[in-house]
Amino acid sequence: MFYRVVTSSRSPGIANGLTYESSDVKPLQGMPVRVSLRKKIVEGIVVDVLEKKEETAYAMKGIDEVLGNSPVLTQPQIRTALWMADYYCATLRQALGLWFPPPPWSRVFPRTQIGFRFCDDTNEALLRGKKQEALRDFLLGREWVSKEEIVGELGPMTPTLQALTKKGILIAEFRLESQEPKMDLRSAILANPSLTEDQQRVYEEIRNDSRPSLLFGITGSGKTEVYAQLIADVIRNGKQSLLLVPEILLTEYSIARFEKLVRRDAISVLHSRLTLKERCDEWKRIARGDVALVIGSRSALFAPLKNLSLIVIDEEHEWTYKNEQAPRYHVRETAEVLARFSNARLVLGTATPSLEAWSRAKNGTYHFVRLEKRYLDQHLPVVRIIDLAGATFGKFYPFSPELLNAIDERLSRGEQSVLFLNRRGMATSLLCLHCRRRITCPASQLPFTVHTESSGKPYLLDHTTGIRADVPALCPHCKSSELLAVGAGTQKVESVLAARFPAAKILRADSDTLKDAEEMRSILRMMRERKADILFGTQSVVKGLDLPGVTLAAVLLADSGLSLPHFRAGERVFQLLTQLVGRSGRAQSGEVIIQTFRPDAPEIVAAARHETEKYLDDELKLRVHGGYPPATKIVRLLVRGPGAGNRAKNLLDEAKKNATAAGNDALIHLSPTLSSGGKEWQILLRGSDPRSLLVTMDLRDVTIDIDPIETL
Ligand code: ADP
Ligand code: ZN
């Protein structure tokens, strides 16, 4: 038999695996093995078992050893990795690497470990001293315990273990690390969700359809309860579920919800701030089958669950579901494939479906289910649009008098307000009053934002590149000293709020103030316990909150983003505004205020009227008309480094020639990327099948982004 093996070794040229021949050991697909590679022994995964030798295979060696006795990845997982490598133009090693902690993958392969047990006729009285007694208590009645577990529990023990082994009191034995579950997951359900009639109907509809379901439920309709019921079913059947959320650190509340449903020791919460050791431990726990529910962001899709039966993608429309490093996958597409191969159910939940999901629901690829009412029939809030062009700000810019009054009302009634502003820092830019140019970052050519340190000292920061600079004394263009910080950021808003509402307790949440999950947790706790009156921050931080005391939600400037020349700009603004609407009046009547310079923009009007379906239908028509996704496909090629412009120009010509020759309808454009200041170039190919144009091109020095979200 022949075996294709992919290793995590970075040697060039073997990123798609090598074929080995073996007749004595017969590993199964997904099993870890040890093979030789250029005079070294390395560990890898069997991705394919072949009857016949591949044409291209040469100088075949044997397999040295099979590690453990069962696969570490399932067939559906390996098939998904193969699909990803192909679809996203990545190597198989890159695709498989998603399923493992950072290389070497062997850190999570089953190992042979040393462990100890007491000799059958040990006289316990021979054990002396604290350490030996602790060891006795820990090992007594147990058949064999690994040294790792002993040290983990009792601290450093090597001399004690050695001494007792020498005396014949302990017996040392090597054993293969167990790959068997330690728990019966069926008993991990703690409580039954109790669904409303509407939620029950939706739950049953989802259960009775084998297609991926798009659960379109307005904010506060209780999508989480529907997920909970589906997850509980899966666990009762002894199988496993995956719940994907856009940003794990902001999902505290929903995690708390699931901890009431499932025993904590049967849940694994995966996020980017786990240490390597924690990641490896979670990986093994999941692979062993001791986890019934994995909750995590994007990369949790690749948790090594053996019996995956349900994937839920919450807030399906969120842009964080797109990976911006190779393989540049999208969670929605990849989950569809993994669910199909695993025979698992896929549920996508959102109040503002992506146009991709919306079009699939419309054409029947997805099964479409709606939750139209908020829990307990709570009404959606009244929305007021305030035209900033007619507002008189006085010294409280960017707050209109109407908004200030609305906040005042909340304060006097002891209710809470949430305010959004999608700009961090003190000011959005530094403007020269003489030549009227903005001070820009030399790398990106984009305007610097003005921030202040806690000492009050101002500095410049480019949010796209992270480059920081001192505030210049003179304009670099015309040497004028008349520089003015314009446009309010969150820091500025904080000082305005403090000045206007000195008695109010105000909390700020943006990525400058939030250093870890604990801070967000304490902010949410203060809001829930009504110890704060006003929470404000950037949309990305504040959206998704479920705070019953909030009766006013406001966006200070709804237009940011609308003027960008991006076909998804409107969709994004609509999503943010609808999320905003969703924050207010969840438990009592509420109000929403949208401040904008463009009160008639369709996104703003539709969000204010809660007309999501109409907005999506109109937007989909525009996309079809303009030839943009999801009506077409886009491929983005990125070129960096010296000579990028020329290289990109050549690629453009080659792609155009290919398109003409193949009768491919792709429209092909070349431009520098927005934030690179001319150092990075992109070629956008847009049409019904632009991907097929890549096949004959040599793109080794090019970043390939299939179905990009970012196209600027
Ligand atoms: P969504 O995710 O759809 O915006 P949530 O799942 O956060 O909505 O639910 C909104 C609020 O309503 C939450 O506070 C939740 O606890 C409550 N809720 C919804 N359905 C139920 C239910 N069946 N039983 C008890 N509380 C519910
Ligand atoms: Zn100037």
Side-chain angles (χ1 to χ4, degrees), residues 432-437 439 475-480 482-483:
C432 170
L433 292 181
H434 185 70
C435 73
R436 306 289 171 106
R437 285 197 268 192
I439 312 303
C475 169
H477 308 291
C478 74
K479 307 290 176 239
S480 157
E482 285 178 84
L483 299 176

mmCIF file of all heavy atoms in Angstrom, residues 432-437 439 475-480 482-483, ligand 2:
data_model
loop_
_atom_site.group_PDB
_atom_site.id
_atom_site.type_symbol
_atom_site.label_atom_id
_atom_site.label_comp_id
_atom_site.label_asym_id
_atom_site.label_seq_id
_atom_site.Cartn_x
_atom_site.Cartn_y
_atom_site.Cartn_z
ATOM 1 N N CYS A 432 -4.204 71.061 8.226
ATOM 2 C CA CYS A 432 -3.474 72.317 8.115
ATOM 3 C C CYS A 432 -4.446 73.382 7.610
ATOM 4 O O CYS A 432 -5.028 73.240 6.541
ATOM 5 C CB CYS A 432 -2.303 72.170 7.147
ATOM 6 S SG CYS A 432 -1.545 73.751 6.767
ATOM 7 N N LEU A 433 -4.620 74.438 8.393
ATOM 8 C CA LEU A 433 -5.603 75.455 8.008
ATOM 9 C C LEU A 433 -5.088 76.321 6.860
ATOM 10 O O LEU A 433 -5.854 76.995 6.189
ATOM 11 C CB LEU A 433 -5.950 76.339 9.210
ATOM 12 C CG LEU A 433 -6.722 75.631 10.323
ATOM 13 C CD1 LEU A 433 -7.029 76.598 11.454
ATOM 14 C CD2 LEU A 433 -8.009 75.020 9.773
ATOM 15 N N HIS A 434 -3.792 76.265 6.640
ATOM 16 C CA HIS A 434 -3.231 77.094 5.584
ATOM 17 C C HIS A 434 -3.369 76.416 4.212
ATOM 18 O O HIS A 434 -4.030 76.941 3.325
ATOM 19 C CB HIS A 434 -1.774 77.404 5.898
ATOM 20 C CG HIS A 434 -1.163 78.351 4.916
ATOM 21 N ND1 HIS A 434 -1.537 79.679 4.858
ATOM 22 C CD2 HIS A 434 -0.248 78.162 3.942
ATOM 23 C CE1 HIS A 434 -0.859 80.264 3.880
ATOM 24 N NE2 HIS A 434 -0.073 79.366 3.308
ATOM 25 N N CYS A 435 -2.781 75.217 4.068
ATOM 26 C CA CYS A 435 -2.864 74.551 2.758
ATOM 27 C C CYS A 435 -4.033 73.576 2.685
ATOM 28 O O CYS A 435 -4.283 72.980 1.648
ATOM 29 C CB CYS A 435 -1.550 73.852 2.409
ATOM 30 S SG CYS A 435 -1.229 72.348 3.354
ATOM 31 N N ARG A 436 -4.754 73.426 3.790
ATOM 32 C CA ARG A 436 -5.950 72.575 3.858
ATOM 33 C C ARG A 436 -5.655 71.094 3.590
ATOM 34 O O ARG A 436 -6.518 70.352 3.163
ATOM 35 C CB ARG A 436 -7.042 73.051 2.870
ATOM 36 C CG ARG A 436 -7.426 74.507 3.034
ATOM 37 C CD ARG A 436 -8.198 74.689 4.318
ATOM 38 N NE ARG A 436 -8.396 76.100 4.629
ATOM 39 C CZ ARG A 436 -9.558 76.740 4.505
ATOM 40 N NH1 ARG A 436 -10.615 76.085 4.117
ATOM 41 N NH2 ARG A 436 -9.646 78.005 4.814
ATOM 42 N N ARG A 437 -4.421 70.675 3.805
ATOM 43 C CA ARG A 437 -4.136 69.250 3.655
ATOM 44 C C ARG A 437 -4.080 68.589 5.014
ATOM 45 O O ARG A 437 -3.810 69.236 6.024
ATOM 46 C CB ARG A 437 -2.819 69.047 2.913
ATOM 47 C CG ARG A 437 -3.006 69.325 1.423
ATOM 48 C CD ARG A 437 -1.884 68.751 0.639
ATOM 49 N NE ARG A 437 -0.830 69.744 0.452
ATOM 50 C CZ ARG A 437 0.189 69.586 -0.397
ATOM 51 N NH1 ARG A 437 0.288 68.480 -1.110
ATOM 52 N NH2 ARG A 437 1.106 70.506 -0.510
ATOM 53 N N ILE A 439 -2.430 65.808 7.710
ATOM 54 C CA ILE A 439 -1.144 65.180 7.960
ATOM 55 C C ILE A 439 -1.335 63.677 7.779
ATOM 56 O O ILE A 439 -2.172 63.060 8.450
ATOM 57 C CB ILE A 439 -0.639 65.471 9.388
ATOM 58 C CG1 ILE A 439 -0.746 66.963 9.711
ATOM 59 C CG2 ILE A 439 0.781 64.951 9.578
ATOM 60 C CD1 ILE A 439 -0.019 67.880 8.767
ATOM 61 N N CYS A 475 3.311 72.213 9.458
ATOM 62 C CA CYS A 475 2.765 71.382 8.393
ATOM 63 C C CYS A 475 3.900 70.904 7.489
ATOM 64 O O CYS A 475 4.699 71.716 7.009
ATOM 65 C CB CYS A 475 1.763 72.194 7.570
ATOM 66 S SG CYS A 475 1.290 71.362 6.052
ATOM 67 N N PRO A 476 4.032 69.610 7.256
ATOM 68 C CA PRO A 476 5.121 69.112 6.416
ATOM 69 C C PRO A 476 4.998 69.582 4.960
ATOM 70 O O PRO A 476 5.974 69.584 4.229
ATOM 71 C CB PRO A 476 5.001 67.585 6.506
ATOM 72 C CG PRO A 476 3.715 67.310 7.196
ATOM 73 C CD PRO A 476 3.188 68.557 7.797
ATOM 74 N N HIS A 477 3.801 69.984 4.539
ATOM 75 C CA HIS A 477 3.623 70.419 3.147
ATOM 76 C C HIS A 477 4.009 71.887 2.973
ATOM 77 O O HIS A 477 4.777 72.232 2.087
ATOM 78 C CB HIS A 477 2.164 70.237 2.708
ATOM 79 C CG HIS A 477 1.644 68.862 2.970
ATOM 80 N ND1 HIS A 477 2.089 67.764 2.266
ATOM 81 C CD2 HIS A 477 0.725 68.408 3.855
ATOM 82 C CE1 HIS A 477 1.463 66.684 2.723
ATOM 83 N NE2 HIS A 477 0.629 67.048 3.694
ATOM 84 N N CYS A 478 3.475 72.761 3.827
ATOM 85 C CA CYS A 478 3.656 74.201 3.601
ATOM 86 C C CYS A 478 4.329 74.914 4.768
ATOM 87 O O CYS A 478 4.472 76.125 4.748
ATOM 88 C CB CYS A 478 2.307 74.853 3.296
ATOM 89 S SG CYS A 478 1.268 74.999 4.772
ATOM 90 N N LYS A 479 4.717 74.155 5.779
ATOM 91 C CA LYS A 479 5.429 74.712 6.933
ATOM 92 C C LYS A 479 4.597 75.690 7.777
ATOM 93 O O LYS A 479 5.144 76.441 8.577
ATOM 94 C CB LYS A 479 6.749 75.401 6.511
ATOM 95 C CG LYS A 479 7.662 74.542 5.669
ATOM 96 C CD LYS A 479 8.268 73.412 6.497
ATOM 97 C CE LYS A 479 9.122 72.494 5.618
ATOM 98 N NZ LYS A 479 8.656 71.110 5.620
ATOM 99 N N SER A 480 3.311 75.695 7.579
ATOM 100 C CA SER A 480 2.467 76.553 8.416
ATOM 101 C C SER A 480 2.363 75.953 9.822
ATOM 102 O O SER A 480 2.454 74.742 10.003
ATOM 103 C CB SER A 480 1.078 76.662 7.788
ATOM 104 O OG SER A 480 0.130 77.016 8.777
ATOM 105 N N GLU A 482 -0.340 76.503 11.645
ATOM 106 C CA GLU A 482 -1.767 76.472 11.973
ATOM 107 C C GLU A 482 -2.347 75.077 11.771
ATOM 108 O O GLU A 482 -2.978 74.798 10.750
ATOM 109 C CB GLU A 482 -2.533 77.451 11.082
ATOM 110 C CG GLU A 482 -2.360 78.905 11.445
ATOM 111 C CD GLU A 482 -3.123 79.767 10.459
ATOM 112 O OE1 GLU A 482 -4.327 79.942 10.657
ATOM 113 O OE2 GLU A 482 -2.511 80.202 9.466
ATOM 114 N N LEU A 483 -2.107 74.198 12.704
ATOM 115 C CA LEU A 483 -2.613 72.834 12.588
ATOM 116 C C LEU A 483 -3.780 72.649 13.544
ATOM 117 O O LEU A 483 -3.689 73.004 14.715
ATOM 118 C CB LEU A 483 -1.498 71.826 12.908
ATOM 119 C CG LEU A 483 -0.279 71.888 11.982
ATOM 120 C CD1 LEU A 483 0.793 70.911 12.445
ATOM 121 C CD2 LEU A 483 -0.685 71.580 10.544
HETATM 122 ZN ZN ZN B 2 -0.028 73.050 5.211
#
